[in-house]
Amino acid sequence: MRPVTLHTERLLLRPFEPRDVPAVHAACQDPDILRWTALPEPYERRHAQDFVSVVAPAGWREDSAYTFGVFTRDGELVGAMGLVRITPPGPEGRLAELGYWTAREQRGRGHTVEAARAVTDWAFTELGVERLEWFAEVGNTGSRAVAERLGFVMEGTLRARIPFRGTRRDSWVASLLPSDQGRPATVPYLPAP
């Protein structure tokens, strides 16, 4: 897929560029980001360089992950957000997982929810996604609060779902369907009685 840019009232979501490496590196020094994401620790400049210049562009090129840098209209890095584990288009529609991290100084402003609404809208309207999933390690209440504000429905706890630094951790799981947002589904959903 060719990378796209999304706009919201306050934000610009675009593919990362080489000029973003210093901001990504600085943001990923935050102990909370390192605690809840599978980033290398310590997070060195070379990791940011690889993420921005190799990993994120490869996801777009290979249709395996669509990663956006989230920025204020002034150009400040808010965080990263993307769709991962994207299934190919098919008659049953696509599945994808929403993931994100937010720079410490940008938290509490509603930016992550605003950006995620743009990405979920794009996923449902442009990509034909029929089910968005969200996973976070049990205890990551900040990420869960964002998912719940977006309308994700909590489905439970999965044992040993997340590999993290030599261990396996339990994960919360939630989903968002087009119908949760009042959108028509391409593929009919028949819930269990």
Side-chain angles (χ1 to χ4, degrees), residues 119-165:
V119 172
T120 59
D121 287 349
W122 177 69
F124 289 144
T125 61
E126 301 298 321
L127 300 179
V129 170
E130 290 290 324
R131 176 181 163 91
L132 273 175
E133 297 177 329
W134 165 90
F135 298 92
E137 184 182 330
V138 171
N140 189 346
T141 57
S143 184
R144 182 173 176 153
V146 169
E148 288 177 333
R149 286 191 57 203
L150 290 166
F152 275 79
V153 175
M154 293 299 144
E155 296 177 336
T157 301
L158 301 176
R159 297 181 317 141
R161 167 63 170 74
I162 298 177
F164 187 78
R165 304 196 200 299

mmCIF file of all heavy atoms in Angstrom, residues 119-165:
data_model
loop_
_atom_site.group_PDB
_atom_site.id
_atom_site.type_symbol
_atom_site.label_atom_id
_atom_site.label_comp_id
_atom_site.label_asym_id
_atom_site.label_seq_id
_atom_site.Cartn_x
_atom_site.Cartn_y
_atom_site.Cartn_z
ATOM 1 N N VAL A 119 -7.671 6.893 12.531
ATOM 2 C CA VAL A 119 -7.162 5.623 12.015
ATOM 3 C C VAL A 119 -8.275 4.580 11.944
ATOM 4 O O VAL A 119 -8.382 3.847 10.955
ATOM 5 C CB VAL A 119 -5.974 5.122 12.860
ATOM 6 C CG1 VAL A 119 -5.560 3.714 12.445
ATOM 7 C CG2 VAL A 119 -4.784 6.078 12.722
ATOM 8 N N THR A 120 -9.134 4.517 12.949
ATOM 9 C CA THR A 120 -10.226 3.538 12.899
ATOM 10 C C THR A 120 -11.219 3.885 11.792
ATOM 11 O O THR A 120 -11.705 2.988 11.101
ATOM 12 C CB THR A 120 -10.944 3.386 14.256
ATOM 13 O OG1 THR A 120 -11.478 4.634 14.668
ATOM 14 C CG2 THR A 120 -9.995 2.858 15.328
ATOM 15 N N ASP A 121 -11.515 5.169 11.605
ATOM 16 C CA ASP A 121 -12.386 5.573 10.490
ATOM 17 C C ASP A 121 -11.796 5.127 9.162
ATOM 18 O O ASP A 121 -12.494 4.582 8.307
ATOM 19 C CB ASP A 121 -12.582 7.094 10.474
ATOM 20 C CG ASP A 121 -13.482 7.601 11.580
ATOM 21 O OD1 ASP A 121 -14.133 6.779 12.258
ATOM 22 O OD2 ASP A 121 -13.510 8.834 11.790
ATOM 23 N N TRP A 122 -10.505 5.393 8.988
ATOM 24 C CA TRP A 122 -9.803 5.016 7.753
ATOM 25 C C TRP A 122 -9.837 3.492 7.576
ATOM 26 O O TRP A 122 -10.080 2.997 6.469
ATOM 27 C CB TRP A 122 -8.375 5.555 7.822
ATOM 28 C CG TRP A 122 -7.497 5.199 6.683
ATOM 29 C CD1 TRP A 122 -7.602 5.642 5.382
ATOM 30 C CD2 TRP A 122 -6.353 4.340 6.724
ATOM 31 N NE1 TRP A 122 -6.584 5.103 4.624
ATOM 32 C CE2 TRP A 122 -5.810 4.306 5.430
ATOM 33 C CE3 TRP A 122 -5.746 3.615 7.735
ATOM 34 C CZ2 TRP A 122 -4.673 3.567 5.117
ATOM 35 C CZ3 TRP A 122 -4.614 2.875 7.425
ATOM 36 C CH2 TRP A 122 -4.093 2.857 6.126
ATOM 37 N N ALA A 123 -9.613 2.755 8.656
ATOM 38 C CA ALA A 123 -9.617 1.287 8.569
ATOM 39 C C ALA A 123 -10.969 0.755 8.111
ATOM 40 O O ALA A 123 -11.042 -0.130 7.260
ATOM 41 C CB ALA A 123 -9.232 0.690 9.929
ATOM 42 N N PHE A 124 -12.034 1.305 8.680
ATOM 43 C CA PHE A 124 -13.371 0.821 8.326
ATOM 44 C C PHE A 124 -13.812 1.287 6.942
ATOM 45 O O PHE A 124 -14.400 0.513 6.191
ATOM 46 C CB PHE A 124 -14.396 1.259 9.371
ATOM 47 C CG PHE A 124 -14.266 0.561 10.699
ATOM 48 C CD1 PHE A 124 -14.513 1.245 11.872
ATOM 49 C CD2 PHE A 124 -13.919 -0.778 10.791
ATOM 50 C CE1 PHE A 124 -14.416 0.614 13.113
ATOM 51 C CE2 PHE A 124 -13.806 -1.429 12.016
ATOM 52 C CZ PHE A 124 -14.058 -0.720 13.184
ATOM 53 N N THR A 125 -13.542 2.538 6.593
ATOM 54 C CA THR A 125 -14.066 3.069 5.329
ATOM 55 C C THR A 125 -13.183 2.793 4.121
ATOM 56 O O THR A 125 -13.694 2.561 3.034
ATOM 57 C CB THR A 125 -14.312 4.586 5.430
ATOM 58 O OG1 THR A 125 -13.082 5.247 5.719
ATOM 59 C CG2 THR A 125 -15.343 4.916 6.498
ATOM 60 N N GLU A 126 -11.877 2.814 4.300
ATOM 61 C CA GLU A 126 -10.977 2.676 3.154
ATOM 62 C C GLU A 126 -10.370 1.280 3.015
ATOM 63 O O GLU A 126 -10.046 0.867 1.911
ATOM 64 C CB GLU A 126 -9.842 3.707 3.236
ATOM 65 C CG GLU A 126 -10.318 5.143 3.261
ATOM 66 C CD GLU A 126 -11.080 5.547 2.008
ATOM 67 O OE1 GLU A 126 -10.678 5.112 0.905
ATOM 68 O OE2 GLU A 126 -12.074 6.279 2.128
ATOM 69 N N LEU A 127 -10.156 0.597 4.129
ATOM 70 C CA LEU A 127 -9.461 -0.692 4.078
ATOM 71 C C LEU A 127 -10.394 -1.889 4.141
ATOM 72 O O LEU A 127 -9.961 -3.018 3.945
ATOM 73 C CB LEU A 127 -8.445 -0.794 5.226
ATOM 74 C CG LEU A 127 -7.345 0.249 5.254
ATOM 75 C CD1 LEU A 127 -6.450 0.029 6.464
ATOM 76 C CD2 LEU A 127 -6.533 0.211 3.967
ATOM 77 N N GLY A 128 -11.665 -1.664 4.465
ATOM 78 C CA GLY A 128 -12.603 -2.780 4.556
ATOM 79 C C GLY A 128 -12.384 -3.652 5.779
ATOM 80 O O GLY A 128 -12.707 -4.845 5.764
ATOM 81 N N VAL A 129 -11.852 -3.073 6.846
ATOM 82 C CA VAL A 129 -11.660 -3.835 8.079
ATOM 83 C C VAL A 129 -13.019 -4.116 8.701
ATOM 84 O O VAL A 129 -13.865 -3.232 8.815
ATOM 85 C CB VAL A 129 -10.734 -3.066 9.056
ATOM 86 C CG1 VAL A 129 -10.720 -3.716 10.428
ATOM 87 C CG2 VAL A 129 -9.326 -2.987 8.489
ATOM 88 N N GLU A 130 -13.234 -5.364 9.098
ATOM 89 C CA GLU A 130 -14.493 -5.788 9.711
ATOM 90 C C GLU A 130 -14.360 -5.998 11.215
ATOM 91 O O GLU A 130 -15.360 -6.115 11.914
ATOM 92 C CB GLU A 130 -14.986 -7.084 9.067
ATOM 93 C CG GLU A 130 -15.457 -6.910 7.642
ATOM 94 C CD GLU A 130 -16.750 -6.122 7.529
ATOM 95 O OE1 GLU A 130 -17.635 -6.247 8.399
ATOM 96 O OE2 GLU A 130 -16.874 -5.359 6.564
ATOM 97 N N ARG A 131 -13.128 -6.078 11.695
ATOM 98 C CA ARG A 131 -12.886 -6.240 13.132
ATOM 99 C C ARG A 131 -11.524 -5.654 13.456
ATOM 100 O O ARG A 131 -10.513 -6.067 12.888
ATOM 101 C CB ARG A 131 -12.922 -7.708 13.534
ATOM 102 C CG ARG A 131 -12.588 -7.960 15.014
ATOM 103 C CD ARG A 131 -12.628 -9.457 15.352
ATOM 104 N NE ARG A 131 -11.936 -9.757 16.602
ATOM 105 C CZ ARG A 131 -12.509 -9.773 17.805
ATOM 106 N NH1 ARG A 131 -13.808 -9.512 17.930
ATOM 107 N NH2 ARG A 131 -11.809 -10.057 18.880
ATOM 108 N N LEU A 132 -11.530 -4.673 14.346
ATOM 109 C CA LEU A 132 -10.289 -4.120 14.880
ATOM 110 C C LEU A 132 -10.077 -4.718 16.259
ATOM 111 O O LEU A 132 -11.008 -4.768 17.065
ATOM 112 C CB LEU A 132 -10.381 -2.598 15.007
ATOM 113 C CG LEU A 132 -10.015 -1.788 13.788
ATOM 114 C CD1 LEU A 132 -10.283 -0.307 14.048
ATOM 115 C CD2 LEU A 132 -8.571 -1.996 13.400
ATOM 116 N N GLU A 133 -8.864 -5.146 16.515
ATOM 117 C CA GLU A 133 -8.545 -5.702 17.821
ATOM 118 C C GLU A 133 -7.551 -4.805 18.541
ATOM 119 O O GLU A 133 -6.789 -4.065 17.910
ATOM 120 C CB GLU A 133 -7.970 -7.109 17.671
ATOM 121 C CG GLU A 133 -8.969 -8.068 17.074
ATOM 122 C CD GLU A 133 -8.435 -9.461 16.837
ATOM 123 O OE1 GLU A 133 -7.221 -9.601 16.558
ATOM 124 O OE2 GLU A 133 -9.235 -10.398 16.930
ATOM 125 N N TRP A 134 -7.572 -4.871 19.851
ATOM 126 C CA TRP A 134 -6.640 -4.133 20.712
ATOM 127 C C TRP A 134 -6.198 -5.087 21.798
ATOM 128 O O TRP A 134 -7.013 -5.813 22.360
ATOM 129 C CB TRP A 134 -7.349 -2.920 21.309
ATOM 130 C CG TRP A 134 -6.625 -2.301 22.470
ATOM 131 C CD1 TRP A 134 -5.686 -1.320 22.416
ATOM 132 C CD2 TRP A 134 -6.800 -2.603 23.856
ATOM 133 N NE1 TRP A 134 -5.248 -1.004 23.685
ATOM 134 C CE2 TRP A 134 -5.923 -1.790 24.588
ATOM 135 C CE3 TRP A 134 -7.602 -3.502 24.554
ATOM 136 C CZ2 TRP A 134 -5.831 -1.826 25.976
ATOM 137 C CZ3 TRP A 134 -7.516 -3.558 25.944
ATOM 138 C CH2 TRP A 134 -6.638 -2.714 26.632
ATOM 139 N N PHE A 135 -4.905 -5.119 22.034
ATOM 140 C CA PHE A 135 -4.331 -5.921 23.110
ATOM 141 C C PHE A 135 -3.427 -5.032 23.938
ATOM 142 O O PHE A 135 -2.732 -4.167 23.391
ATOM 143 C CB PHE A 135 -3.474 -7.074 22.548
ATOM 144 C CG PHE A 135 -4.224 -8.059 21.722
ATOM 145 C CD1 PHE A 135 -4.320 -7.911 20.342
ATOM 146 C CD2 PHE A 135 -4.828 -9.154 22.303
ATOM 147 C CE1 PHE A 135 -5.006 -8.819 19.571
ATOM 148 C CE2 PHE A 135 -5.522 -10.081 21.538
ATOM 149 C CZ PHE A 135 -5.613 -9.919 20.171
ATOM 150 N N ALA A 136 -3.401 -5.236 25.227
ATOM 151 C CA ALA A 136 -2.441 -4.566 26.109
ATOM 152 C C ALA A 136 -2.217 -5.456 27.313
ATOM 153 O O ALA A 136 -3.134 -6.163 27.765
ATOM 154 C CB ALA A 136 -2.952 -3.205 26.556
ATOM 155 N N GLU A 137 -1.011 -5.397 27.832
ATOM 156 C CA GLU A 137 -0.721 -6.181 29.023
ATOM 157 C C GLU A 137 -1.650 -5.748 30.150
ATOM 158 O O GLU A 137 -1.922 -4.556 30.322
ATOM 159 C CB GLU A 137 0.731 -5.997 29.447
ATOM 160 C CG GLU A 137 1.105 -6.875 30.614
ATOM 161 C CD GLU A 137 2.525 -6.679 31.090
ATOM 162 O OE1 GLU A 137 3.388 -6.327 30.270
ATOM 163 O OE2 GLU A 137 2.758 -6.898 32.292
ATOM 164 N N VAL A 138 -2.143 -6.710 30.893
ATOM 165 C CA VAL A 138 -2.987 -6.408 32.046
ATOM 166 C C VAL A 138 -2.234 -5.425 32.941
ATOM 167 O O VAL A 138 -1.063 -5.634 33.262
ATOM 168 C CB VAL A 138 -3.348 -7.696 32.810
ATOM 169 C CG1 VAL A 138 -4.036 -7.369 34.125
ATOM 170 C CG2 VAL A 138 -4.230 -8.594 31.946
ATOM 171 N N GLY A 139 -2.906 -4.348 33.294
ATOM 172 C CA GLY A 139 -2.293 -3.304 34.105
ATOM 173 C C GLY A 139 -2.012 -2.033 33.337
ATOM 174 O O GLY A 139 -1.816 -0.975 33.932
ATOM 175 N N ASN A 140 -2.010 -2.089 32.005
ATOM 176 C CA ASN A 140 -1.750 -0.894 31.202
ATOM 177 C C ASN A 140 -3.056 -0.091 31.091
ATOM 178 O O ASN A 140 -3.739 -0.085 30.074
ATOM 179 C CB ASN A 140 -1.213 -1.279 29.834
ATOM 180 C CG ASN A 140 -0.729 -0.086 29.028
ATOM 181 O OD1 ASN A 140 -1.016 1.062 29.363
ATOM 182 N ND2 ASN A 140 0.002 -0.361 27.965
ATOM 183 N N THR A 141 -3.384 0.584 32.183
ATOM 184 C CA THR A 141 -4.669 1.279 32.270
ATOM 185 C C THR A 141 -4.755 2.486 31.343
ATOM 186 O O THR A 141 -5.853 2.837 30.910
ATOM 187 C CB THR A 141 -4.945 1.712 33.720
ATOM 188 O OG1 THR A 141 -3.857 2.529 34.178
ATOM 189 C CG2 THR A 141 -5.110 0.497 34.629
ATOM 190 N N GLY A 142 -3.631 3.104 31.017
ATOM 191 C CA GLY A 142 -3.665 4.230 30.084
ATOM 192 C C GLY A 142 -4.104 3.795 28.702
ATOM 193 O O GLY A 142 -4.968 4.426 28.077
ATOM 194 N N SER A 143 -3.527 2.718 28.213
ATOM 195 C CA SER A 143 -3.914 2.207 26.899
ATOM 196 C C SER A 143 -5.366 1.735 26.913
ATOM 197 O O SER A 143 -6.117 1.975 25.966
ATOM 198 C CB SER A 143 -2.993 1.058 26.492
ATOM 199 O OG SER A 143 -3.299 0.611 25.192
ATOM 200 N N ARG A 144 -5.756 1.098 27.994
ATOM 201 C CA ARG A 144 -7.143 0.619 28.090
ATOM 202 C C ARG A 144 -8.132 1.784 28.091
ATOM 203 O O ARG A 144 -9.183 1.716 27.453
ATOM 204 C CB ARG A 144 -7.333 -0.228 29.352
ATOM 205 C CG ARG A 144 -8.733 -0.776 29.463
ATOM 206 C CD ARG A 144 -8.884 -1.738 30.610
ATOM 207 N NE ARG A 144 -10.275 -2.154 30.735
ATOM 208 C CZ ARG A 144 -10.665 -3.298 31.237
ATOM 209 N NH1 ARG A 144 -9.786 -4.174 31.681
ATOM 210 N NH2 ARG A 144 -11.954 -3.605 31.313
ATOM 211 N N ALA A 145 -7.787 2.874 28.766
ATOM 212 C CA ALA A 145 -8.681 4.034 28.794
ATOM 213 C C ALA A 145 -8.893 4.593 27.387
ATOM 214 O O ALA A 145 -10.005 4.973 27.017
ATOM 215 C CB ALA A 145 -8.124 5.111 29.718
ATOM 216 N N VAL A 146 -7.830 4.629 26.581
ATOM 217 C CA VAL A 146 -7.965 5.094 25.199
ATOM 218 C C VAL A 146 -8.894 4.159 24.429
ATOM 219 O O VAL A 146 -9.829 4.609 23.754
ATOM 220 C CB VAL A 146 -6.585 5.190 24.508
ATOM 221 C CG1 VAL A 146 -6.729 5.408 23.013
ATOM 222 C CG2 VAL A 146 -5.748 6.307 25.129
ATOM 223 N N ALA A 147 -8.659 2.851 24.527
ATOM 224 C CA ALA A 147 -9.496 1.885 23.805
ATOM 225 C C ALA A 147 -10.961 2.009 24.201
ATOM 226 O O ALA A 147 -11.856 2.003 23.342
ATOM 227 C CB ALA A 147 -8.983 0.465 24.061
ATOM 228 N N GLU A 148 -11.213 2.156 25.491
ATOM 229 C CA GLU A 148 -12.609 2.278 25.942
ATOM 230 C C GLU A 148 -13.243 3.569 25.457
ATOM 231 O O GLU A 148 -14.419 3.582 25.086
ATOM 232 C CB GLU A 148 -12.676 2.155 27.463
ATOM 233 C CG GLU A 148 -12.415 0.729 27.923
ATOM 234 C CD GLU A 148 -12.398 0.554 29.427
ATOM 235 O OE1 GLU A 148 -12.089 1.516 30.167
ATOM 236 O OE2 GLU A 148 -12.696 -0.576 29.877
ATOM 237 N N ARG A 149 -12.497 4.668 25.434
ATOM 238 C CA ARG A 149 -13.046 5.933 24.920
ATOM 239 C C ARG A 149 -13.370 5.825 23.434
ATOM 240 O O ARG A 149 -14.273 6.523 22.939
ATOM 241 C CB ARG A 149 -12.087 7.089 25.171
ATOM 242 C CG ARG A 149 -12.089 7.490 26.646
ATOM 243 C CD ARG A 149 -11.382 8.776 26.929
ATOM 244 N NE ARG A 149 -11.922 9.884 26.178
ATOM 245 C CZ ARG A 149 -11.235 10.997 25.914
ATOM 246 N NH1 ARG A 149 -10.011 11.140 26.347
ATOM 247 N NH2 ARG A 149 -11.786 11.971 25.221
ATOM 248 N N LEU A 150 -12.672 4.967 22.727
ATOM 249 C CA LEU A 150 -12.941 4.760 21.302
ATOM 250 C C LEU A 150 -14.145 3.852 21.064
ATOM 251 O O LEU A 150 -14.609 3.733 19.943
ATOM 252 C CB LEU A 150 -11.713 4.138 20.625
ATOM 253 C CG LEU A 150 -10.509 5.044 20.493
ATOM 254 C CD1 LEU A 150 -9.273 4.232 20.136
ATOM 255 C CD2 LEU A 150 -10.777 6.122 19.461
ATOM 256 N N GLY A 151 -14.608 3.191 22.110
ATOM 257 C CA GLY A 151 -15.751 2.295 21.970
ATOM 258 C C GLY A 151 -15.382 0.830 21.850
ATOM 259 O O GLY A 151 -16.263 0.001 21.583
ATOM 260 N N PHE A 152 -14.113 0.492 22.035
ATOM 261 C CA PHE A 152 -13.738 -0.918 22.006
ATOM 262 C C PHE A 152 -14.486 -1.648 23.111
ATOM 263 O O PHE A 152 -14.653 -1.127 24.212
ATOM 264 C CB PHE A 152 -12.233 -1.085 22.213
ATOM 265 C CG PHE A 152 -11.417 -0.954 20.956
ATOM 266 C CD1 PHE A 152 -11.131 0.298 20.433
ATOM 267 C CD2 PHE A 152 -10.939 -2.084 20.311
ATOM 268 C CE1 PHE A 152 -10.372 0.428 19.283
ATOM 269 C CE2 PHE A 152 -10.179 -1.963 19.155
ATOM 270 C CZ PHE A 152 -9.892 -0.705 18.633
ATOM 271 N N VAL A 153 -14.933 -2.854 22.814
ATOM 272 C CA VAL A 153 -15.648 -3.683 23.764
ATOM 273 C C VAL A 153 -14.644 -4.669 24.369
ATOM 274 O O VAL A 153 -14.013 -5.450 23.643
ATOM 275 C CB VAL A 153 -16.806 -4.443 23.080
ATOM 276 C CG1 VAL A 153 -17.469 -5.411 24.050
ATOM 277 C CG2 VAL A 153 -17.815 -3.450 22.510
ATOM 278 N N MET A 154 -14.505 -4.604 25.691
ATOM 279 C CA MET A 154 -13.588 -5.508 26.374
ATOM 280 C C MET A 154 -14.142 -6.927 26.305
ATOM 281 O O MET A 154 -15.307 -7.165 26.620
ATOM 282 C CB MET A 154 -13.392 -5.092 27.830
ATOM 283 C CG MET A 154 -12.685 -3.779 28.005
ATOM 284 S SD MET A 154 -11.038 -3.811 27.296
ATOM 285 C CE MET A 154 -10.934 -2.137 26.674
ATOM 286 N N GLU A 155 -13.293 -7.852 25.884
ATOM 287 C CA GLU A 155 -13.726 -9.234 25.698
ATOM 288 C C GLU A 155 -13.127 -10.185 26.718
ATOM 289 O O GLU A 155 -13.590 -11.306 26.837
ATOM 290 C CB GLU A 155 -13.370 -9.693 24.277
ATOM 291 C CG GLU A 155 -14.112 -8.897 23.218
ATOM 292 C CD GLU A 155 -13.730 -9.291 21.807
ATOM 293 O OE1 GLU A 155 -12.618 -9.821 21.592
ATOM 294 O OE2 GLU A 155 -14.550 -9.067 20.907
ATOM 295 N N GLY A 156 -12.092 -9.749 27.415
ATOM 296 C CA GLY A 156 -11.542 -10.643 28.431
ATOM 297 C C GLY A 156 -10.048 -10.514 28.593
ATOM 298 O O GLY A 156 -9.425 -9.551 28.148
ATOM 299 N N THR A 157 -9.493 -11.513 29.231
ATOM 300 C CA THR A 157 -8.065 -11.594 29.491
ATOM 301 C C THR A 157 -7.541 -12.871 28.859
ATOM 302 O O THR A 157 -8.117 -13.948 29.048
ATOM 303 C CB THR A 157 -7.795 -11.612 31.016
ATOM 304 O OG1 THR A 157 -8.331 -10.415 31.581
ATOM 305 C CG2 THR A 157 -6.311 -11.692 31.312
ATOM 306 N N LEU A 158 -6.481 -12.731 28.099
ATOM 307 C CA LEU A 158 -5.844 -13.883 27.466
ATOM 308 C C LEU A 158 -4.581 -14.227 28.249
ATOM 309 O O LEU A 158 -3.723 -13.371 28.463
ATOM 310 C CB LEU A 158 -5.479 -13.568 26.012
ATOM 311 C CG LEU A 158 -6.651 -13.166 25.118
ATOM 312 C CD1 LEU A 158 -6.142 -12.791 23.733
ATOM 313 C CD2 LEU A 158 -7.663 -14.285 25.026
ATOM 314 N N ARG A 159 -4.478 -15.452 28.659
ATOM 315 C CA ARG A 159 -3.310 -15.877 29.418
ATOM 316 C C ARG A 159 -2.091 -15.992 28.509
ATOM 317 O O ARG A 159 -2.190 -16.470 27.384
ATOM 318 C CB ARG A 159 -3.579 -17.225 30.088
ATOM 319 C CG ARG A 159 -4.712 -17.160 31.090
ATOM 320 C CD ARG A 159 -4.998 -18.465 31.788
ATOM 321 N NE ARG A 159 -4.979 -19.604 30.896
ATOM 322 C CZ ARG A 159 -4.467 -20.795 31.204
ATOM 323 N NH1 ARG A 159 -3.929 -21.011 32.380
ATOM 324 N NH2 ARG A 159 -4.515 -21.776 30.346
ATOM 325 N N ALA A 160 -0.956 -15.511 29.008
ATOM 326 C CA ALA A 160 0.341 -15.662 28.334
ATOM 327 C C ALA A 160 0.322 -15.179 26.887
ATOM 328 O O ALA A 160 1.001 -15.722 26.031
ATOM 329 C CB ALA A 160 0.809 -17.117 28.418
ATOM 330 N N ARG A 161 -0.450 -14.147 26.574
ATOM 331 C CA ARG A 161 -0.600 -13.653 25.195
ATOM 332 C C ARG A 161 0.593 -12.834 24.720
ATOM 333 O O ARG A 161 0.964 -12.848 23.567
ATOM 334 C CB ARG A 161 -1.884 -12.810 25.111
ATOM 335 C CG ARG A 161 -2.069 -11.962 23.857
ATOM 336 C CD ARG A 161 -2.182 -12.799 22.604
ATOM 337 N NE ARG A 161 -2.578 -12.082 21.428
ATOM 338 C CZ ARG A 161 -1.824 -11.240 20.727
ATOM 339 N NH1 ARG A 161 -0.618 -10.929 21.133
ATOM 340 N NH2 ARG A 161 -2.280 -10.673 19.629
ATOM 341 N N ILE A 162 1.235 -12.077 25.630
ATOM 342 C CA ILE A 162 2.269 -11.126 25.228
ATOM 343 C C ILE A 162 3.646 -11.597 25.679
ATOM 344 O O ILE A 162 3.903 -11.706 26.879
ATOM 345 C CB ILE A 162 1.968 -9.731 25.811
ATOM 346 C CG1 ILE A 162 0.641 -9.206 25.268
ATOM 347 C CG2 ILE A 162 3.107 -8.766 25.524
ATOM 348 C CD1 ILE A 162 0.212 -7.876 25.836
ATOM 349 N N PRO A 163 4.543 -11.868 24.724
ATOM 350 C CA PRO A 163 5.919 -12.143 25.119
ATOM 351 C C PRO A 163 6.598 -10.814 25.472
ATOM 352 O O PRO A 163 6.488 -9.838 24.734
ATOM 353 C CB PRO A 163 6.548 -12.766 23.871
ATOM 354 C CG PRO A 163 5.681 -12.348 22.736
ATOM 355 C CD PRO A 163 4.327 -12.027 23.295
ATOM 356 N N PHE A 164 7.272 -10.775 26.619
ATOM 357 C CA PHE A 164 7.878 -9.511 27.062
ATOM 358 C C PHE A 164 9.136 -9.801 27.868
ATOM 359 O O PHE A 164 9.063 -10.351 28.966
ATOM 360 C CB PHE A 164 6.874 -8.716 27.908
ATOM 361 C CG PHE A 164 7.338 -7.335 28.270
ATOM 362 C CD1 PHE A 164 7.288 -6.307 27.345
ATOM 363 C CD2 PHE A 164 7.839 -7.067 29.537
ATOM 364 C CE1 PHE A 164 7.715 -5.027 27.668
ATOM 365 C CE2 PHE A 164 8.272 -5.787 29.866
ATOM 366 C CZ PHE A 164 8.211 -4.770 28.933
ATOM 367 N N ARG A 165 10.272 -9.472 27.275
ATOM 368 C CA ARG A 165 11.574 -9.571 27.939
ATOM 369 C C ARG A 165 11.788 -10.910 28.648
ATOM 370 O O ARG A 165 12.097 -10.975 29.830
ATOM 371 C CB ARG A 165 11.762 -8.416 28.894
ATOM 372 C CG ARG A 165 11.607 -7.050 28.245
ATOM 373 C CD ARG A 165 12.154 -5.930 29.079
ATOM 374 N NE ARG A 165 11.632 -4.626 28.718
ATOM 375 C CZ ARG A 165 11.755 -4.011 27.545
ATOM 376 N NH1 ARG A 165 12.380 -4.582 26.561
ATOM 377 N NH2 ARG A 165 11.242 -2.814 27.348
#
